[in-house]
Amino acid sequence: MSTVLNPPPTVRSFRSPTSRSPRVSMLLRSTTLSTAAALPILTKLQHDCATPLPLLRNIADNMAADMRAGLAVDGGSDLKMILSYVDCLPTGHERGLFYALDLGGTNFRVLRTQLGGRDERVIDTEFEQVSIPQDLMSGTSDELFDFIASALAKFVKKEGGKFVLPNGRSRETGFTFSFPVKQTSIDSGILIKWTKGFSVSGTPGKDIVACLNEAMGRQGLDMRVSALVNDTVATLAGARYWDDDVMVAVILGTGTNACYVESVEAIPKLPGHKSNSGKTIINTEWGAFSNGLPLTEYDRAMDAESINPGEQLYEKTISGMYLGEIVRRVLVRMAETGSLFGKHIPEKLQTPFALGTPNISSMQQDTSEDLEAVGSILYEATGVDSNLDARKMVVEVCDTIAKRGGRLAGAGIVGILQKMEEDSKGVVFGKRMVVAMDGGLYEHYPQYKRYLKNAVAELLGPELSSHVVIEHSKDGSGIGAALLAATNSIYEH
């Protein structure tokens, strides 16, 4: 269901470092000696993470400016602004049987859907999830793609019931591939490098669609890849199938990314690109954005110890991979400096990424008087024993990091809308505009979601924000890839 943003609440003035929120003031009145010693750390954290309206406006402006610079020339900004070659989006008229393969981590999904045109839409959908054996993640290219093609062939053999392939047709699949790729057409792309624990030999520098097509041929599977996309682009396509007003898609999960519908005329670095619709989807790779972010000493330390120092700073402040780790680092400082959890600091608390973002989200959902769930999660994840005052302090830290992340993500969305509005000379904000959201962080962290929506509403104001719909598109990337296979089919519908 679509959710139209409410008018923004009254914007509070930016507090000075010495002022405290009502909750922190209450915490101060009820503190023990250990939590009192940790209070200055919390106060400084809240100051350094503050996202007042002027800062959010600056983030939105910088995002829009970096988008333009990235569209002007390759390497023009932190944002890669990659052409997806998706020039036609689903309309609802698509008919037939189409498949999707979603490879983005240690598991992959295979999916099929029977499309019935404008009247029947999605007649039926089936999918299976397959785990990739650890040894194949560091094996050869042929071994990995043969395994994937074999699983796909087994899935095809179960085809039946409402799933019907018209006579004389080969099967077509969309391929969602969430690794760094230099895309060269709608159905081809060169793998730049493996990430996420993969180190498969023989694939970097090769067309990964050709690798899959060849593997399917070795399995005797009559199927071709008709669309290569990443998960964000597939999410936009999946949402657009049901709602013609979808123009932006954002993934907020372990990682983050955003894409949007762009006019071909607004892409100076691609003067020769042809598009029948005059539009195309641009994959921003916005996780690399860094201009004007409010970073703390904990962010900088985490970044310095990461596998990509100085890179993906926006992702490191707003995505699920990192929020829990930032909280853990703050708690370690409070334990060391303020003895928040007593004299002993468990080894688990000092272990990087011991505290996950699902942990901090669960702690914020605890509304009991003694915060028993907070205590249990802290003990299980980090090994610390905590009293009630310490638990209250921990919840404040979680909220501070989630609030910054959600509000910065909201500012990024407004930056994209702002760029589109400027190019359309006032058309975008004058009509209904839908932003499709997917990802576990957005779906399962209600406080984060609320902070994101509030930031969008504050930045746009009551009138403009009433036209902007932030809509959850659950698992849109799977069906989206199949729909793009249909849109780019070699057969007429």
Side-chain angles (χ1 to χ4, degrees), residues 229-246:
V229 293
N230 76 0
D231 55 353
T232 319
V233 172
T235 296
L236 193 154
R240 180 65 170 257
Y241 182 72
W242 300 103
D243 191 332
D244 291 339
D245 293 333
V246 175

Side-chain angles (χ1 to χ4, degrees), residues 56-68:
L56 293 182
R57 283 208 178 99
N58 186 51
I59 294 291
D61 290 345
N62 292 343
M63 181 68 76
D66 278 8
M67 289 170 68
R68 290 187 189 285

Side-chain angles (χ1 to χ4, degrees), residues 396-419:
E396 283 290 334
V397 173
C398 295
D399 188 67
T400 301
I401 300 305
K403 183 176 184 178
R404 179 187 65 167
R407 287 174 67 79
L408 289 177
I413 290 171
V414 171
I416 293 175
L417 297 177
Q418 199 170 292
K419 193 270 178 198

Side-chain angles (χ1 to χ4, degrees), residues 114-175:
Q114 189 76 34
L115 304 176
R118 181 62 77 172
D119 294 332
E120 294 182 279
R121 293 282 178 146
V122 177
I123 296 170
D124 205 356
T125 300
E126 288 180 342
F127 73 90
E128 288 182 3
Q129 185 159 299
V130 183
S131 295
I132 299 174
Q134 192 72 33
D135 60 312
L136 292 185
M137 293 174 64
S138 55
T140 67
S141 178
D142 283 354
E143 288 170 343
L144 175 63
F145 282 99
D146 281 348
F147 177 79
I148 292 170
S150 173
L152 193 48
K154 290 174 185 173
F155 184 62
V156 167
K157 284 181 180 177
K158 300 174 187 175
E159 185 181 284
K162 295 180 181 178
F163 300 98
V164 180
L165 183 72
N167 289 332
R169 288 194 180 188
S170 296
R171 291 175 182 83
E172 294 178 290
T173 185
F175 187 11

Side-chain angles (χ1 to χ4, degrees), residues 331-340 345 350:
L331 298 185
V332 168
R333 173 66 60 83
M334 288 179 164
E336 290 173 343
T337 308
S339 302
L340 182 64
I345 303 175
Q350 300 179 71

Side-chain angles (χ1 to χ4, degrees), residues 46-303:
Q46 291 177 324
H47 171 257
D48 292 346
C49 288
T51 49
L53 202 52
L55 184 144
L56 293 182
R57 283 208 178 99
N58 186 51
I59 294 291
D61 290 345
N62 292 343
M63 181 68 76
D66 278 8
M67 289 170 68
R68 290 187 189 285
L71 289 172
V73 61
D74 280 333
S77 78
D78 288 339
L79 305 187
K80 291 188 173 67
M81 304 301 286
I82 299 167
L83 181 68
S84 68
Y85 291 90
V86 173
D87 300 336
C88 296
L89 285 162
T91 61
H93 293 289
E94 294 80 11
R95 290 177 174 273
L97 172 62
F98 296 94
Y99 280 77
L101 168 65
D102 188 350
L103 176 62
T106 54
N107 300 310
F108 67 89
R109 280 195 309 168
V110 288
L111 174 148
R112 62 175 149 249
T113 186
Q114 189 76 34
L115 304 176
R118 181 62 77 172
D119 294 332
E120 294 182 279
R121 293 282 178 146
V122 177
I123 296 170
D124 205 356
T125 300
E126 288 180 342
F127 73 90
E128 288 182 3
Q129 185 159 299
V130 183
S131 295
I132 299 174
Q134 192 72 33
D135 60 312
L136 292 185
M137 293 174 64
S138 55
T140 67
S141 178
D142 283 354
E143 288 170 343
L144 175 63
F145 282 99
D146 281 348
F147 177 79
I148 292 170
S150 173
L152 193 48
K154 290 174 185 173
F155 184 62
V156 167
K157 284 181 180 177
K158 300 174 187 175
E159 185 181 284
K162 295 180 181 178
F163 300 98
V164 180
L165 183 72
N167 289 332
R169 288 194 180 188
S170 296
R171 291 175 182 83
E172 294 178 290
T173 185
F175 187 11
T176 302
F177 188 75
S178 301
F179 296 90
V181 164
K182 180 175 175 54
Q183 192 133 0
T184 50
S185 73
I186 186 60
D187 58 358
S188 63
I190 306 301
L191 177 66
I192 298 169
K193 63 177 180 179
W194 288 106
T195 56
K196 306 176 186 178
F198 284 75
S199 57
V200 177
S201 63
T203 324
K206 287 190 176 180
D207 178 359
I208 47 106
V209 171
C211 292
L212 179 58
N213 280 335
E214 289 164 9
M216 289 191 294
R218 289 193 292 271
Q219 293 292 327
L221 178 58
D222 185 18
M223 181 182 284
R224 64 177 289 275
V225 175
S226 57
L228 171 67
V229 293
N230 76 0
D231 55 353
T232 319
V233 172
T235 296
L236 193 154
R240 180 65 170 257
Y241 182 72
W242 300 103
D243 191 332
D244 291 339
D245 293 333
V246 175
M247 297 292 282
V248 181
V250 176
I251 301 287
L252 281 165
T254 304
T256 184
N257 196 10
C259 69
Y260 70 105
V261 179
E262 180 62 279
S263 169
V264 172
E265 294 176 353
I267 313 174
K269 68 180 179 181
L270 294 167
H273 182 68
K274 304 294 183 187
S275 166
N276 291 333
S277 66
K279 305 283 186 182
T280 191
I281 298 179
I282 292 293
N283 165 22
T284 66
E285 291 293 338
W286 82 350
F289 176 74
S290 63
N291 198 348
L293 298 176
L295 302 178
T296 68
E297 59 187 290
Y298 310 102
D299 298 300
R300 294 187 177 92
M302 180 182 71
D303 174 54

